């Protein structure tokens, strides 16, 4: 398996040596993600279809003989040290909560069961997943942290190693269970009530494949994304999302409310995932107007994901693009999680002939759009977005042409 971002990780390895005076044991690289379709469906037990992108959070680390965790977040030039024996409940840098949370949950939920005790770690952390842009930098950080803490115990989970090292044990849990642990970290230690999609794709991404994930059973399938002359382009509004803000939680509550009401007529449903469009149409008039709009979007989006996956399998890329556009319209008009800046970006993209599909991605209220586009139109998209978006919003956007990469990996540094 190929090394991930060798230029960057070599530099980080040197930073580690400068700082700690010896070589690291491993380098972890966990990717961000972009969701092609299936938005706000994960916490409704529905379907999602994300890809891992070639932007990563790296943790270069080594085990310590004590129970201290010494961290240096390079990009922020912040340091933080904590002891695994004494939980530090004081206010600490936001990024450190992920490491503290992962350490606690790994010990109590995974390692206790297999008779392992966490050891201390020295680590340098750095990354190029834009922060707060809806590309899952926080999921990448918690995934990277979980592999790093396993790493200091000489453990790794199956299929995550670039090169194996002797005296490393491959353990359970399966990646989906580790993803759930990372999700719990976000809930309990970062105060973000997110779904399961982001850590799962960060762990399970596969080069040139999208992940069709059933967020209830956690069954998944890698679907080839042979882009050939098609590019995956992400446009960043550079408007920071407020995911932890009330709106995300409000949407969750509105969906739950809809289910509760519809249970009168369909007692077996436990989430919107169980409601077909046909059934929904029978009962929607009984729902309060806002609840009705929110639920209809989710029911439709779940159907769209399944249709989109089939379209991709049958190489019907134009249907795939139409579904992306419809997904955006639903998020904008019915789920109401888009914003002016995201709409300007999708309007520009959708007006270009060779753009196949464009939609907001992630939680919304800022962040990024995802665009599938024929290679020959990329310069048109780039110049129009740079000019028109800036003119209309007064903000300069960022544009990333991305490759679809693998999920999180650990590279063991040789023992010699
Ligand atoms: C955020 C959450 C995900 C998902 C998306 C919306 O990215 O972390 O779990 O709910 O929003 O699809």
């Amino acid at each position: 398996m190929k090394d991930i971002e060798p230029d960057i990780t070599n530099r980080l390895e040197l930073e580690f040596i400068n700082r700690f005076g010896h070589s690291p044991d491993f380098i972890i690289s966990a990717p961000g993600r972009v969701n092609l379709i299936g938005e706000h469906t994960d916490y409704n037990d529905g379907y999602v279809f994300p890809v891992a992108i070639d932007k990563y959070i790296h943790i270069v680390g080594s085990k310590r003989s004590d129970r201290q965790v010494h961290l240096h977040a390079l990009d922020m030039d912040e340091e933080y040290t904590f002891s695994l024996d004494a939980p530090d409940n004081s206010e600490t840098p936001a990024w450190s909560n992920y490491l503290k949370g992962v350490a606690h949950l790994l010990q109590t939920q995974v390692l206790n069961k297999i008779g392992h005790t966490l050891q201390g770690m020295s680590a340098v952390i750095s990354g190029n997943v834009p922060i707060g842009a809806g590309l899952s930098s926080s999921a990448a950080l918690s995934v990277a942290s979980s592999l790093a803490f396993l790493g200091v115990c000489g453990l790794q989970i199956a299929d995550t190693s670039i090169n194996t090292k002797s005296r490393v044990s491959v353990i359970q849990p399966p990646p989906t269970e580790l993803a759930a642990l990372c999700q719990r970290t976000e809930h309990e230690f970062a105060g973000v009530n997110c779904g399961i999609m982001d850590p799962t794709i960060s762990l399970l991404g596969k080069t040139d494949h999208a992940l069709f994930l059933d967020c209830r059973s956690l069954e998944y399938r890698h679907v080839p994304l042979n882009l050939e002359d098609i590019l995956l382009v992400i446009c960043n509004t550079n408007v920071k999302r407020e995911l932890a803000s009330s709106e995300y939680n409000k949407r969750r509550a509105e969906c739950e409310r809809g289910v509760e009401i519809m249970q009168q007529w369909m007692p077996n449903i436990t989430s919107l995932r169980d409601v077909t469009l046909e059934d929904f149409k029978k009962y929607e008039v009984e729902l309060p107007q806002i609840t009705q709009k929110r639920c209809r979007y989710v029911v439709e989006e779940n159907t769209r994901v399944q249709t989109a996956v089939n379209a991709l399998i049958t190489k019907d890329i134009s249907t795939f693009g139409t579904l992306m556009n419809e997904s955006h319209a639903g998020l904008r008009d019915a789920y109401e999680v888009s914003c002016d800046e995201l709409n300007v970006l999708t309007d520009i993209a959708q007006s270009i002939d060779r753009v196949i599909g464009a939609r907001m991605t992630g939680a919304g209220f800022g962040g990024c759009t995802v665009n599938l586009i024929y290679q020959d139109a990329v310069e048109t998209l780039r110049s129009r977005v740079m000019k028109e978006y800036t003119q209309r919003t007064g903000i300069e956007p960022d544009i990333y042409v991305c490759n679809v990469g693998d999920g999180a990996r650990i590279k063991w540094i040789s023992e010699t």
Side-chain angles (χ1 to χ4, degrees):
M1 197 175 288
K2 266 202 330 220
D3 278 9
I4 295 172
E5 296 191 324
D7 293 352
I8 298 181
T9 53
N10 287 342
R11 183 175 58 75
L12 293 177
E13 209 177 318
L14 288 179
E15 291 280 353
F16 182 96
I17 295 170
N18 283 341
R19 180 154 205 88
F20 296 106
H22 58 87
S23 290
D25 296 338
F26 54 75
I27 300 171
I28 314 279
S29 305
R33 65 97 187 90
V34 72
N35 190 17
L36 298 180
I37 194 161
E39 217 63 81
H40 288 274
T41 44
D42 61 352
Y43 54 82
N44 286 300
D45 280 350
Y47 302 102
V48 292
F49 200 45
V51 297
I53 55 175
D54 52 353
K55 293 191 179 297
Y56 301 88
I57 300 290
H58 302 286
I59 299 186
V60 180
S62 73
K63 91 171 170 225
R64 296 174 58 92
S65 51
D66 57 17
R67 302 253 302 151
Q68 297 277 309
V69 180
H70 285 231
L71 304 168
H72 184 195
L74 213 57
D75 310 320
M76 294 164 183
D77 198 18
E78 283 181 342
E79 290 175 26
Y80 179 66
T81 297
F82 68 100
S83 159
L84 293 167
D85 294 318
D88 172 7
N89 298 323
S90 61
E91 204 168 305
T92 61
W95 55 268
S96 68
N97 293 327
Y98 293 91
L99 288 114
K100 285 194 284 186
V102 163
H104 172 74
L105 291 175
L106 257 189
Q107 183 64 66
T108 53
Q109 307 301 309
V110 177
L111 297 178
N112 282 351
K113 290 184 197 151
I114 54 171
H116 274 272
T117 306
L118 270 184
Q119 279 183 267
M121 168 166 76
S122 299
V124 167
I125 306 169
S126 177
N128 53 13
V129 187
I131 295 173
L135 300 177
S136 286
S137 57
S138 56
L141 177 59
S142 47
V143 164
S145 307
S146 68
L147 296 186
F149 279 115
L150 288 176
V152 291
C153 298
L155 303 173
Q156 64 177 59
I157 59 169
D159 299 332
T160 48
S161 186
I162 287 181
N163 59 333
T164 30
K165 177 176 157 172
S166 56
R167 287 185 273 115
V168 167
S169 312
V170 177
I171 55 151
Q172 293 283 16
T176 47
E177 207 177 297
L178 200 62
L181 186 145
C182 293
Q183 179 195 19
R184 201 170 145 191
T185 305
E186 297 230 23
H187 289 190
E188 295 177 14
F189 292 83
V192 181
N193 207 10
C194 61
I196 190 69
M197 165 170 69
D198 305 343
T200 308
I201 181 65
S202 186
L203 273 160
L204 282 171
K206 185 169 168 186
T207 298
D208 295 335
H209 287 73
L211 184 79
F212 179 37
L213 174 69
D214 176 337
C215 297
R216 170 177 277 163
S217 66
L218 297 184
E219 279 167 15
Y220 59 86
R221 172 173 173 195
H222 288 111
V223 180
L225 192 64
N226 295 322
L227 292 175
E228 289 157 17
D229 57 341
I230 295 169
L231 295 175
L232 179 67
V233 179
I234 295 173
C235 298
N236 190 345
T237 58
N238 281 331
V239 174
K240 296 275 178 234
R241 296 160 320 120
E242 282 163 16
L243 175 62
S245 81
S246 51
E247 289 303 317
Y248 187 85
N249 290 339
K250 265 198 214 157
R251 295 301 179 283
R252 285 189 83 132
E254 280 152 1
C255 294
E256 281 159 22
R257 172 104 187 93
V259 171
E260 228 174 82
I261 298 174
M262 287 189 285
Q263 277 169 339
Q264 292 173 65
W265 309 287
M266 297 181 283
N268 293 333
I269 63 167
T270 55
S271 69
L272 286 177
R273 147 70 177 276
D274 299 317
V275 182
T276 62
L277 200 50
E278 218 182 359
D279 281 339
F280 185 74
K281 284 184 179 151
K282 281 192 220 150
Y283 305 117
E284 63 177 332
V285 289
E286 308 290 340
L287 302 178
Q289 211 192 347
I290 294 283
T291 314
Q292 185 190 113
K293 272 166 81 171
R294 308 296 193 238
C295 293
R296 186 187 308 124
Y297 160 78
V298 173
V299 171
E300 286 176 353
E301 183 77 348
N302 268 326
T303 310
R304 267 193 292 270
V305 182
Q306 296 171 80
T307 316
V309 171
N310 287 329
L312 195 64
I313 291 169
T314 56
K315 300 200 186 319
D316 180 359
I317 197 76
S318 116
T319 297
F320 192 90
T322 306
L323 291 161
M324 285 175 77
N325 295 346
E326 286 174 4
S327 167
H328 183 78
L331 290 157
R332 182 190 59 210
D333 304 331
Y335 215 60
E336 295 181 281
V337 290
S338 190
C339 63
D340 290 347
E341 292 84 357
L342 285 166
N343 297 337
V344 168
L345 283 179
T346 44
D347 282 353
I348 297 170
Q350 287 175 8
S351 73
I352 298 171
D353 212 20
R354 303 271 289 164
V355 170
I356 298 157
R359 59 185 286 279
M360 57 151 275
T361 183
F365 304 107
C368 292
T369 62
V370 54
N371 306 268
L372 276 190
I373 162 168
Y374 286 103
Q375 208 157 6
D376 54 19
V378 77
E379 279 320 310
T380 312
L381 178 72
R382 195 191 293 276
S383 63
R384 282 198 49 196
V385 164
M386 289 315 281
K387 186 162 166 237
E388 293 172 35
Y389 178 78
T390 313
Q391 262 170 8
R392 286 166 69 178
T393 64
I395 306 169
E396 253 191 51
D398 281 311
I399 299 174
Y400 322 114
V401 177
C402 285
N403 291 309
V404 173
D406 280 323
R409 294 289 175 264
I410 182 163
K411 179 185 169 193
W412 296 97
I413 309 291
S414 93
E415 286 157 317
T416 51

